[in-house]
Amino acid sequence: MKDPRVRQFAEVLVNYSARVQPGDVVLISCAGLEGAPLVKELYALCLEKGAKYVEYEFSIPDIGRYFYNLANPDQLSFFPQHKLDFMKQVDVYFGLSAADNSMVMAQANQKSMIAWSKVVRPIIDQRVKGTRWVVTRYPTHGAAQEARMSLDEYEDYLFAACCMDWEEESKKQDALKACVDAADRVRIKASDTDLSFSIKGLPGIKCDGRLNIPDGEVFTAPVRDSVEGYITYNCPTVYQGKEFNNIRLEFEKGRIVKATSPGMDADLNRILDTDEGARYVGEFAIGVNPKIRVPMRNILFDEKIFGSIHFTPGQAYDECDNGNRSAVHWDMVKILAGDGELWFDDILIQKDGRFVHGPLLGLNPGD
């Protein structure tokens, strides 16, 4: 029997997030076959909305692993021009992940993964800059296991976090954007964390269900060379198929000068040495989704945890460009709930994961 929430989810993505219009060219790309129910609903809705062409594709991560392990230098350097040519025609892009094993790339050749990410960067850039794109997740047994939930519990959690009144959430974020726009200095104080940086002249950007679902953050970027201090992230993060915990970064003049993660120092520093920009930060964000409260080992959810921040080594976004360029964009999450202070200039914005500054109190969940 169909779950009616899948149709509701698709309606949010098509009508609100991507705003599909008559005449649009649409690409629906799904990693994992378990996402077929959502692909079907998206496909039907896009046709109903009058899209002139809708293409869908499925990839299987376990097959992709063979490429990283077996590809020779010529294969790793071959640029798939046909993919870029088609992406230039695409108006709307839906990116779905329905993988049943987040660790499928854990033992894949990391050097090949880094090399390939550089090769295909023009396609990603075209998608980000040239389409109305949205990326999301579809509930699978593997994702539920990662979140330490049953599939039923995970489905309830996912649909609650995604199928919200995003227009109302967008209005709530206006006050936080205004505070970001007005601030010069940011300081984050928490356990094994004392970090300061400038955001002067860099705008606050609302993330209100347009590009990511689930959504719920306001981001900006640090002035590239202004970051000083240290931060220890307390949310697990999976990057290039490997799980990292308790990552600790030390900064001097904006650059990561020391990076550690228990048992994973070499892998961590290898990623941060991908290019010069990987050791600088391209994004600072505050998570405000009231339905996301605990880590799920899924960055699309974890970076939106209410009472968290993420401080991201790598590429800056065009909407808030501090000049940092990198093939890496690694959202690392620090949960401040119960332990932490967030300051804008001399104003305490958030304490222990709840907003305490008057204009922002409406963002706090009702609990």
Side-chain angles (χ1 to χ4, degrees):
M1 184 175 70
K2 282 187 176 181
D3 187 334
R5 295 176 298 182
V6 178
R7 174 75 179 195
Q8 182 185 2
F9 191 10
E11 288 173 346
V12 170
L13 295 169
V14 170
N15 296 329
Y16 177 81
S17 300
R19 308 174 302 286
V20 174
Q21 306 293 324
D24 279 343
V25 173
V26 178
L27 173 59
I28 306 168
S29 180
C30 185
L33 299 178
E34 291 187 56
L38 182 56
V39 172
K40 289 165 65 176
E41 296 291 355
L42 289 172
Y43 186 83
L45 275 170
C46 289
L47 293 176
E48 291 170 16
K49 295 289 287 187
K52 69 180 177 183
Y53 180 72
V54 185
E55 179 160 314
Y56 63 92
E57 62 183 17
F58 288 90
S59 60
I60 301 174
D62 201 48
I63 294 178
R65 180 171 55 88
Y66 281 90
F67 175 74
Y68 296 121
N69 289 339
L70 299 177
N72 61 41
D74 287 342
Q75 292 164 333
L76 281 170
S77 63
F78 178 80
F79 181 70
Q81 184 66 43
H82 64 290
K83 288 185 175 291
L84 180 59
D85 292 342
F86 179 59
M87 192 64 76
K88 289 180 178 179
Q89 301 180 60
V90 172
D91 300 297
V92 173
Y93 173 90
F94 296 101
L96 282 57
S97 175
D100 57 4
N101 178 7
S102 65
M103 294 292 133
V104 68
M105 297 297 178
Q107 302 302 319
N109 187 311
Q110 193 176 45
K111 290 182 179 179
S112 294
M113 293 174 72
I114 291 172
W116 185 244
S117 71
K118 294 178 180 179
V119 169
V120 298
R121 188 76 209 183
I123 301 171
I124 306 301
D125 288 343
Q126 176 62 35
R127 189 263 290 176
V128 170
K129 298 175 183 178
T131 73
R132 302 193 303 278
W133 59 270
V134 58
V135 297
T136 191
R137 300 291 185 268
Y138 187 79
T140 66
H141 283 283
Q145 186 175 18
E146 287 293 326
R148 309 295 194 262
M149 298 178 182
S150 69
L151 181 58
D152 287 346
E153 292 167 339
Y154 182 74
E155 288 174 339
D156 290 343
Y157 196 82
L158 181 144
F159 289 125
C162 295
C163 300
M164 300 171 60
D165 184 343
W166 286 107
E167 291 184 357
E168 180 63 24
E169 291 301 312
S170 180
K171 293 175 183 176
K172 291 181 182 179
Q173 291 181 17
D174 285 336
L176 182 53
K177 170 181 166 49
C179 288
V180 171
D181 289 342
D184 177 356
R185 301 291 305 180
V186 175
R187 188 173 184 186
I188 303 167
K189 298 175 66 177
S191 59
D192 201 17
T193 296
D194 192 346
L195 195 70
S196 64
F197 51 92
S198 173
I199 56 172
K200 187 176 183 178
L202 291 157
I205 307 296
K206 298 193 304 179
C207 295
D208 52 2
R210 295 297 189 187
L211 305 179
N212 291 322
I213 292 287
D215 215 344
E217 66 176 84
V218 173
F219 77 87
T220 183
V223 173
R224 188 175 184 266
D225 298 330
S226 71
V227 185
E228 298 286 345
Y230 54 93
I231 182 170
T232 301
Y233 300 90
N234 54 10
C235 187
T237 176
V238 177
Y239 196 82
Q240 294 183 348
K242 298 180 185 295
E243 181 174 326
F244 298 80
N245 288 277
N246 299 309
I247 291 175
R248 189 179 192 276
L249 304 180
E250 297 182 14
F251 292 85
E252 292 180 5
K253 296 181 180 179
R255 189 174 188 274
I256 299 169
V257 295
K258 185 176 181 180
T260 60
S261 177
M264 300 292 286
D265 287 2
D267 291 298
L268 171 61
N269 282 279
R270 191 175 299 116
I271 295 169
L272 295 176
D273 288 334
T274 297
D275 48 41
E276 178 64 18
R279 285 191 176 266
Y280 289 83
V281 171
E283 180 190 5
F284 162 64
I286 302 166
V288 294
N289 189 309
K291 300 295 185 181
I292 304 178
R293 310 298 288 275
V294 295
M296 299 174 67
R297 289 176 173 76
N298 185 319
I299 193 56
L300 196 58
F301 287 82
D302 293 350
E303 67 177 359
K304 314 303 189 323
I305 292 172
F306 190 91
S308 75
I309 59 94
H310 52 278
F311 203 60
T312 304
Q315 178 76 12
Y317 287 118
D318 285 350
E319 301 95 321
C320 184
D321 190 357
N322 70 350
N324 201 41
R325 297 292 176 267
S326 177
V328 171
H329 183 91
W330 190 352
D331 292 310
M332 299 180 183
V333 176
K334 172 79 170 179
I335 299 172
L336 300 176
D339 173 33
E341 295 179 353
L342 176 61
W343 292 79
F344 286 0
D345 298 323
D346 59 350
I347 300 172
L348 180 60
I349 295 294
Q350 193 180 80
K351 184 175 177 60
D352 296 337
R354 290 186 69 84
F355 291 104
V356 295
H357 183 47
L360 304 178
L361 297 180
L363 283 162
N364 288 325
D367 287 337

